[in-house]
């Protein structure tokens, strides 16, 4: 197996153009598991850990550009205020060792329906920046996921970054697992409220062939908040609306029965997570002014 170790992004892109079959490795927390279990033997590995251009994040106006190599630990320590939903999700990933090595770009690269970054990225309407020697393209996150562990990433491309807005309102994330730590989600849910754009964003994890949005739930809640003037008043949200929101979240799921949970359990649990995260987020929004 060849081991390619570029030290700049142009060199990494040249390497990927010459060897599209080379498997990128960032933190290696997914790649090394696959190699150790002998599930595949790529002809070449493309090590991205020395590519400084991928390792950082910066603010661009009201948005944030997160380099693909930003780790969970950095997202938690440096971005909890700007990107609270992503930071909450990052806190639930693996163990400190995994959070120190594992990257947001690697989570996207694996494109697992259970990846914990995906619900907050969907909820905030993130875009994935993909690069090759031919140039750069930006894809809405929803278009990035094409099937179970499948993405729109082309063989000659690398994930350069993910772009998402700095939070203008409360964001929440909740995950159900069979234990409290080091666990793949049985299901998960991310919620982002954006008062300025009067937008509700959602993301469902581990309950479909890809991460999903609950679009009917989003439209429903936006309607309630608009009609009742709640974006402005920050008054209490009725119980019936919260229950209906949970039902619409559950209805958007497309889970399967597997070793981690049944269809019935996941659908039920997502209804609870939808209602619960909405209560937390609305509570925070209501308390912000006072
Ligand atoms: C013990 C353990 C616990 C875990 N717990 C969780 C968890 O709780 N939640 C969760 O979501 N995940 C979990 N994972 C999975 C893993 O840690 C995450 O998916 C992590 O984000 C992968 O990042 P990485 O940098 O290690 O990726 P790598 O393993 O280096 O790469 C993963 C995939 O992405 C590709 N890739 C990486 N970077 C790029 C790039 N810049 N451009 C193109 N392709 C790229 C690789 O080729 C590979 O296909 C766990 C893994 C382990 C071993």
């Amino acid at each position: 197996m060849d081991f390619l170790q570029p030290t700049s992004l142009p060199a990494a892109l040249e390497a990927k153009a010459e060897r599209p079959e080379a498997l990128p490795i960032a933190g290696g927390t997914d790649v090394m598991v696959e190699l150790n279990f002998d599930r595949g033997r790529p002809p070449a590995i493309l090590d991205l850990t020395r590519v400084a251009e991928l390792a950082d994040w910066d603010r661009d106006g009201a948005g944030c550009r997160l380099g693909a190599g930003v780790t969970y630990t950095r997202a938690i320590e440096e971005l909890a205020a700007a990107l609270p939903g992503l930071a909450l999700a990052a806190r639930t990933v693996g163990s400190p060792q995994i959070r120190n090595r594992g990257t947001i770009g690697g989570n996207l690269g694996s494109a697992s329906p259970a990846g914990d970054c995906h619900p907050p990225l969907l909820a905030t309407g993130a875009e994935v920046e993909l690069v090759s020697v031919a140039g750069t393209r930006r894809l809405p996150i929803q278009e990035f996921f094409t099937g179970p562990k499948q993405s729109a990433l082309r063989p000659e491309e690398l994930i350069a970054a993910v772009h998402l807005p700095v939070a203008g309102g409360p964001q929440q994330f909740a995950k159900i697992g069979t234990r409290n730590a080091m666990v793949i989600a049985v299901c998960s849910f991310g919620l982002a409220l954006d008062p300025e754009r009067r937008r509700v964003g959602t993301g469902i994890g581990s309950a479909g062939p890809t991460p999903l949005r609950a679009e009917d739930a989003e439209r429903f809640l936006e309607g309630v908040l608009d009609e009742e003037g709640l974006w402005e008043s920050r008054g209490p949200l009725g119980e019936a609306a919260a229950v209906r929101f949970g039902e619409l979240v559950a209805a958007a799921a497309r889970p399967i029965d597997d070793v981690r949970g049944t269809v019935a359990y996941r659908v039920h649990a997502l209804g609870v997570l939808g209602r619960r995260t909405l209560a937390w987020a609305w509570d925070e929004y209501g308390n912000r002014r006072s």
Side-chain angles (χ1 to χ4, degrees):
M1 188 188 297
D2 295 328
F3 189 71
L4 314 173
Q5 200 165 53
T7 52
S8 70
L9 187 57
L13 297 178
E14 285 294 338
K16 200 68 174 114
E18 269 170 39
R19 305 281 306 266
E21 75 286 4
L23 182 70
I25 187 167
T29 60
D30 280 327
V31 167
M32 291 312 297
V33 173
E34 294 295 303
L35 290 182
N36 287 341
F37 280 112
D38 231 352
R39 289 194 190 124
R41 210 123 261 275
I45 292 265
L46 178 64
D47 176 23
L48 299 176
T49 56
R50 298 188 181 190
V51 178
E53 295 96 316
L54 297 178
D56 245 320
W57 62 266
D58 56 64
R59 291 279 287 263
D60 52 1
C64 198
R65 179 185 184 278
L66 278 187
V70 171
T71 63
Y72 295 107
T73 298
R74 289 193 62 198
I76 295 164
E77 290 178 354
E78 300 167 28
L79 292 163
L83 310 174
L86 187 67
L88 280 169
R91 284 195 192 99
T92 75
V93 172
S95 59
Q97 295 89 335
I98 297 296
R99 293 194 289 272
N100 286 341
R101 294 290 309 176
T103 63
I104 288 153
N107 210 220
L108 286 167
S110 292
S112 160
D116 286 321
C117 289
H118 311 330
L121 294 181
L122 279 166
T124 52
E127 286 185 349
V128 186
E129 182 184 323
L130 303 169
V131 275
S132 71
V133 287
T136 301
R137 62 185 179 123
R138 270 169 73 156
L139 266 191
I141 182 90
Q142 248 178 310
E143 292 172 29
F144 179 75
F145 302 112
T146 55
K149 301 195 175 178
Q150 302 290 319
S151 76
L153 182 70
R154 295 173 185 150
E156 71 282 8
E157 283 180 327
L158 292 173
I159 302 165
V162 58
H163 296 255
L164 61 168
V166 169
Q171 299 185 353
Q172 283 295 339
F173 175 81
K175 164 175 165 180
I176 290 182
T178 46
R179 55 187 180 187
N180 277 341
M182 288 287 270
V183 72
I184 303 176
V186 173
C187 62
S188 62
F189 183 68
L191 175 68
L193 301 183
D194 183 343
E196 201 179 308
R197 292 192 296 149
R198 301 166 86 90
R199 184 181 174 274
V200 173
T202 60
I204 293 174
S206 218
T210 63
L212 300 166
R213 269 174 63 195
E215 296 188 37
D216 288 346
E218 294 173 4
R219 297 295 84 75
F220 165 76
L221 186 57
E222 284 167 358
V224 171
L225 298 179
D226 274 335
E227 280 160 28
E228 299 185 14
L230 289 172
W231 288 119
E232 292 79 16
S233 74
R234 301 180 186 229
L237 183 68
E239 175 68 14
V243 169
R244 183 68 188 137
F245 178 74
E247 286 169 359
L248 290 170
V249 168
R254 289 192 280 135
I256 51 167
D257 290 324
D258 67 15
V259 285
R260 279 177 283 131
T262 61
V263 168
Y265 179 73
R266 285 181 156 118
V267 168
H268 171 76
L270 277 165
V272 175
L273 293 188
R275 206 169 65 231
R276 193 175 286 169
T277 53
L278 175 57
W280 293 337
W282 198 256
D283 203 33
E284 185 187 331
Y285 187 56
N287 285 327
R288 269 195 185 180
R289 200 174 45 178
S290 49

